Amino acid sequence: MKRIKRITSIVTLIVVLFTMALSFTSCSKEEKVTLNVYNWGEYIDESVIKEFEQRYGIKVNYETYATNEEMYTKVKSGGTAYDIVIPSDYMVAKMIREGLLEKLDFSNIPNYKYIDPKFKNRDFDPNNEYTVPYMWGTVGIAYNKKMVTDPVDSWNILWNEKYKGQILMLDSQREAIGLTLKKLGYSLNTTDKNALEKAKQELIKQKPLVLAYAVDEIKDKMIANEAALAVDWAGNAVCMKRQNPDIEFAIPKEGSNLFIDCMVIPKTSKHKKEAEMFINFMCETAIAKKNVEYIGYSTPHTEVYKLLDEKIKNDKTIYPDEETLNRCEIYKDLSDYLSEYDRIWTEVKASN
Amino acid sequence: MKRQAYSIPYLTWMTIFAVLPLFLVLFYAFTTKQGSFTLDNLIRFFDPLYLNVLVRSINLALVSTLICLILGYPMAYIISKANIKARNTLILFFIIPMWMNFLLRTYAWMTILERNGIINKFLSLFGIKPLSLLYTNGAVILGMVYNFLPFMVLPIYTVLIKIDKSLIEASYDLGANKLTTFIKVVFPLSLPGVISGITMVFMPSVTTFAISRLLGGGQFTLIGNLIERQFINVGDWNFGSAISIVMMAIILISIAIMNKFDKDKEGVNLW
């Protein structure tokens, strides 16, 4: 019996200490705000965060994710009170629909005026109440000039027998099925069963030619000359080009996907004002320039674009011309229809 | 009374981290997105498409378990026959690679097997054209065998060193030669180790999704990839949970069958 008493007292002591520690930290929190920023991996120049912390005396707790869905699951479950997240277009639409996002007070974000109007008021946020565009880009074909002799201007080259065992596909159902739909002349947001069935047949036909379906490894494999052709995002292609001068990038003539990643504030945020300060800071010309030069994706910031190196500005990989962009589509949130895409992707992968 | 008090922390731990999640998975598996009871998620799994995925996963896992057994048993036997000092060193060699992160070891195989990798560079010295080694069924099996072999060797080894030497001597005294002694005495006595070895290799092999994605190049969906996608890409937690339940059932059944063979309940049985 005595033992039990002792254990109970120890447990009580621990509980008391814990609550004390908790109340202590919440006290100190009132003096110094901590912002929880949740972003894609390798998608910020971390020195920019340091500058923000120094200038405003706000601590930033920085975490990263690999997919929109991973971020969505965490924000929705509400485990951490994130103040800033950076979802892509279709995910923004989904989060707005589910009431997960806070409307922004644009009077706290004066630098919003620098954002190019062509990225504002898009379908995912028609009246632009929730989002500030962060970066944008396209999906296309990265190829090795020494290994590919044909002109790369169409998705059809990914079905060319000549490159059997040298093609890397993105292991991501929206991208893989989307580009096939584009190749067949459909919208990449289609919910037409017929179109999807045709896309499935095409992908099954392509399977013997594919070396691997991958996401993160594509960059390394292309740099190491392990494959001739790869489907990838433009920003990654920029990275490949820096490290292997034989790599080129093309956006096929049938059109492709255009994505816009936006800074948003989830409803869970406890420091909305500070979060808006952070967004405004990220849109400051000098900061945004430093950031985009580090990441290598395309900036929606008009002033930054003007200041960029001529070489980068004229690089069609990062800043494709208006005409090419018009052929690109933004993903729509397919909600429950997504399971149909997953089924097709499973069928492609399960085929022999 | 005393015992109960000590077990409280463990019981709490188990409830929060094992029982509760299990119930959550069960709940999701048998409900719709709106939360009403349904069997549709389970029925959906018995579509030939998903059954194919299951069969392929089980096949690959069986092949790698068999290879592990063929490689692992002699290895365990040889180590158990060595003198104590050599024995400990050999076992240490087996365990050291496990100190490294599992993904790191798998990534290392990628650089060994790739087209401009170490093996193909070596072969090219003899004028042999580069082989495609990476992104094949063989690469996936190699990855599984490499990663899970210690789980086969260690339980068998533990049982082998515990076998009473006098039984083997008795066998020789009664006129049996080395082979007969092995077949009639040593092997039956080591069966508990073999069985826990098989379970410990089969289970991670059948559910792996990292090895098939990295070394198989995502060419085919295994059951682990299917579950992962339901949770991460599709957001269909109900179907994902239903597949997990089916997997659990399969594993439980295979353990039950295994335990039938292991009548004595001796050795390093995990369960």
Side-chain angles (χ1 to χ4, degrees):
Chain A
M1 256 340 247
K2 242 185 191 170
R3 269 235 176 95
I4 297 173
K5 262 187 194 159
R6 206 190 287 159
I7 288 170
T8 334
S9 57
I10 289 172
V11 170
T12 330
L13 188 70
I14 290 171
V15 170
V16 169
L17 279 177
F18 237 91
T19 24
M20 271 168 66
L22 275 180
S23 53
F24 189 72
T25 46
S26 61
C27 273
S28 57
K29 247 184 201 159
E30 273 162 37
E31 290 156 20
K32 203 173 180 190
V33 175
T34 303
L35 277 187
N36 290 313
V37 177
Y38 198 29
N39 188 8
W40 297 81
E42 290 182 61
Y43 211 36
I44 202 165
D45 179 348
E46 298 213 14
S47 72
V48 163
I49 299 179
K50 286 248 163 59
E51 268 187 72
F52 176 79
E53 288 182 321
Q54 275 160 12
R55 195 192 299 175
Y56 294 101
I58 294 171
K59 204 185 156 319
V60 173
N61 179 19
Y62 186 71
E63 288 177 42
T64 62
Y65 52 85
T67 64
N68 274 308
E69 286 72 16
E70 189 185 333
M71 177 276 304
Y72 166 80
T73 313
K74 271 191 110 177
V75 169
K76 184 149 193 180
S77 68
T80 313
Y82 292 110
D83 298 293
I84 303 271
V85 293
I86 307 187
S88 310
D89 34 65
Y90 72 96
M91 188 50 78
V92 169
K94 183 177 167 128
M95 292 174 90
I96 293 176
R97 206 185 58 219
E98 298 185 9
L100 294 174
L101 300 185
E102 198 80 66
K103 279 193 187 175
L104 301 178
D105 180 355
F106 284 95
S107 60
N108 290 333
I109 313 171
N111 291 334
Y112 177 66
K113 63 173 184 273
Y114 296 126
I115 303 293
D116 190 332
K118 78 177 172 213
F119 299 107
K120 292 176 180 171
N121 306 325
R122 302 296 292 238
D123 283 346
F124 55 84
D125 184 10
N127 303 317
N128 223 106
E129 297 167 302
Y130 298 90
T131 55
V132 174
Y134 178 68
M135 294 283 158
W136 61 275
T138 52
V139 175
I141 303 174
Y143 61 97
N144 191 314
K145 280 184 285 190
K146 290 218 171 119
M147 300 184 199
V148 180
T149 43
D150 304 274
V152 182
D153 61 351
S154 158
W155 292 116
N156 284 322
I157 196 157
L158 300 174
W159 274 259
N160 190 334
E161 294 277 345
K162 219 165 106 186
Y163 303 107
K164 186 174 178 177
Q166 299 183 53
I167 299 169
L168 292 170
M169 279 289 278
L170 261 181
D171 190 5
S172 164
Q173 46 202 21
R174 261 334 264 280
E175 274 74 22
I177 297 172
L179 75 86
T180 317
L181 287 168
K182 274 291 182 195
K183 165 181 136 78
L184 296 168
Y186 298 103
S187 155
L188 46 72
N189 290 312
T190 192
T191 49
D192 171 8
K193 279 223 157 133
N194 227 335
L196 284 168
E197 183 59 35
K198 278 189 202 154
K200 184 183 96 188
Q201 294 307 334
E202 281 296 301
L203 283 165
I204 290 174
K205 218 167 78 191
Q206 185 208 22
K207 212 180 161 196
L209 309 180
V210 174
L211 173 66
Y213 298 88
V215 182
D216 298 329
E217 300 95 275
I218 289 185
K219 213 156 73 179
D220 294 335
K221 295 274 156 203
M222 287 304 288
I223 292 168
N225 295 324
E226 287 285 321
L229 293 150
V231 179
D232 210 344
W233 288 280
N236 285 348
V238 171
C239 237
M240 294 176 205
K241 277 161 89 167
R242 272 186 212 150
Q243 293 180 60
N244 183 343
D246 295 333
I247 307 267
E248 255 321 316
F249 182 80
I251 299 167
K253 57 175 188 266
E254 296 95 340
S256 177
N257 163 241
L258 163 72
F259 67 83
I260 304 172
D261 291 338
C262 302
M263 293 183 272
V264 299
I265 303 180
K267 275 259 159 73
T268 50
S269 168
K270 292 194 185 79
H271 307 289
K272 185 164 176 264
K273 216 174 133 234
E274 285 80 3
E276 280 163 351
M277 273 161 75
F278 183 84
I279 295 178
N280 194 46
F281 175 82
M282 291 307 290
C283 295
E284 237 168 60
T285 308
I287 299 296
K289 179 168 180 277
K290 193 172 173 195
N291 197 29
V292 75
E293 281 175 344
Y294 176 86
I295 310 174
Y297 276 74
S298 324
T299 181
H301 197 289
T302 47
E303 289 302 308
V304 171
Y305 178 70
K306 281 181 207 155
L307 294 172
L308 287 177
D309 223 43
E310 281 302 314
K311 225 177 95 192
I312 298 175
K313 253 197 258 185
N314 299 327
D315 187 340
K316 288 271 186 296
T317 309
I318 323 176
Y319 296 102
D321 50 44
E322 207 63 21
E323 193 224 350
T324 316
L325 276 185
N326 286 339
R327 277 183 274 128
C328 293
E329 271 185 283
I330 296 182
Y331 287 132
K332 285 198 179 112
D333 169 31
L334 295 173
S335 61
D336 286 347
Y337 204 77
L338 196 60
S339 60
E340 196 57 38
Y341 275 68
D342 179 64
R343 191 188 157 83
I344 284 178
W345 194 228
T346 310
E347 282 184 45
V348 170
K349 293 290 203 71
S351 75
N352 256 345
Chain B
M1 190 68 197
K2 257 188 222 166
R3 273 200 173 164
Q4 275 170 11
Y6 284 129
S7 66
I8 287 173
Y10 302 107
L11 282 177
T12 328
W13 180 273
M14 290 291 283
T15 318
I16 297 175
F17 294 108
V19 181
L20 218 63
L22 197 62
F23 272 103
L24 273 179
V25 172
L26 269 171
F27 174 77
Y28 275 115
F30 289 103
T31 51
T32 61
K33 274 197 176 145
Q34 284 71 38
S36 55
F37 177 81
T38 181
L39 285 173
D40 286 353
N41 297 316
L42 278 178
I43 293 167
R44 188 174 152 203
F45 182 76
F46 290 94
D47 182 293
L49 167 65
Y50 299 117
L51 286 181
N52 245 340
V53 173
L54 180 68
V55 168
R56 171 172 277 148
S57 308
I58 291 180
N59 274 344
L60 276 180
L62 281 178
V63 171
S64 34
T65 311
L66 191 70
I67 296 176
C68 276
L69 182 63
I70 293 169
L71 287 176
Y73 197 96
M75 232 176 260
Y77 191 77
I78 292 165
I79 297 175
S80 75
K81 286 279 168 247
N83 66 48
I84 290 191
K85 236 184 177 175
R87 207 195 268 168
N88 289 339
T89 322
L90 286 171
I91 283 295
L92 194 68
F93 278 137
F94 252 90
I95 296 173
I96 285 176
M98 291 169 78
W99 293 352
M100 264 179 282
N101 182 287
F102 152 80
L103 278 178
L104 196 68
R105 281 180 280 146
T106 311
Y107 267 105
W109 272 110
M110 284 176 75
T111 44
I112 294 172
L113 296 175
E114 64 188 11
R115 197 166 293 157
N116 300 318
I118 296 168
I119 294 181
N120 277 324
K121 281 247 170 74
F122 179 72
L123 289 179
S124 70
L125 292 179
F126 305 99
I128 300 170
K129 269 199 191 155
L131 307 167
S132 11
L133 301 166
L134 193 58
Y135 304 134
T136 55
N137 260 340
V140 176
I141 291 173
L142 175 82
M144 288 184 184
V145 170
Y146 172 74
N147 277 307
F148 304 136
L149 188 60
F151 298 123
M152 183 64 86
V153 174
L154 293 177
I156 297 177
Y157 162 79
T158 329
V159 173
L160 282 177
I161 52 167
K162 277 200 293 194
I163 290 176
D164 192 346
K165 292 278 178 300
S166 51
L167 291 173
I168 296 164
E169 279 157 20
S171 165
Y172 289 146
D173 286 348
L174 293 170
N177 61 17
K178 277 195 164 174
L179 187 66
T180 325
T181 309
F182 179 77
I183 295 171
K184 296 245 160 150
V185 181
V186 178
F187 187 72
L189 284 174
S190 67
L191 262 184
V194 172
I195 282 159
S196 42
I198 289 176
T199 359
M200 284 177 74
V201 172
F202 181 73
M203 277 193 304
S205 318
V206 83
T207 50
T208 184
F209 59 90
I211 296 176
S212 56
R213 194 165 56 197
L214 293 178
L215 297 179
Q219 304 277 8
F220 28 73
T221 302
L222 293 189
I223 204 83
N225 306 92
L226 193 63
I227 298 176
E228 186 204 10
R229 274 222 309 277
Q230 298 311 314
F231 281 94
I232 294 186
N233 291 341
V234 190
D236 192 345
W237 291 25
N238 305 89
F239 185 46
S241 303
I243 309 173
S244 312
I245 293 286
V246 174
M247 278 322 287
M248 268 187 245
I250 290 170
I251 287 171
L252 278 177
I253 291 168
S254 51
I255 290 172
I257 296 171
M258 285 291 178
N259 282 349
K260 272 254 149 73
F261 289 105
D262 182 18
K263 288 173 205 116
D264 304 334
K265 298 268 173 232
E266 256 185 71
V268 270
N269 212 317
L270 269 180
W271 314 102

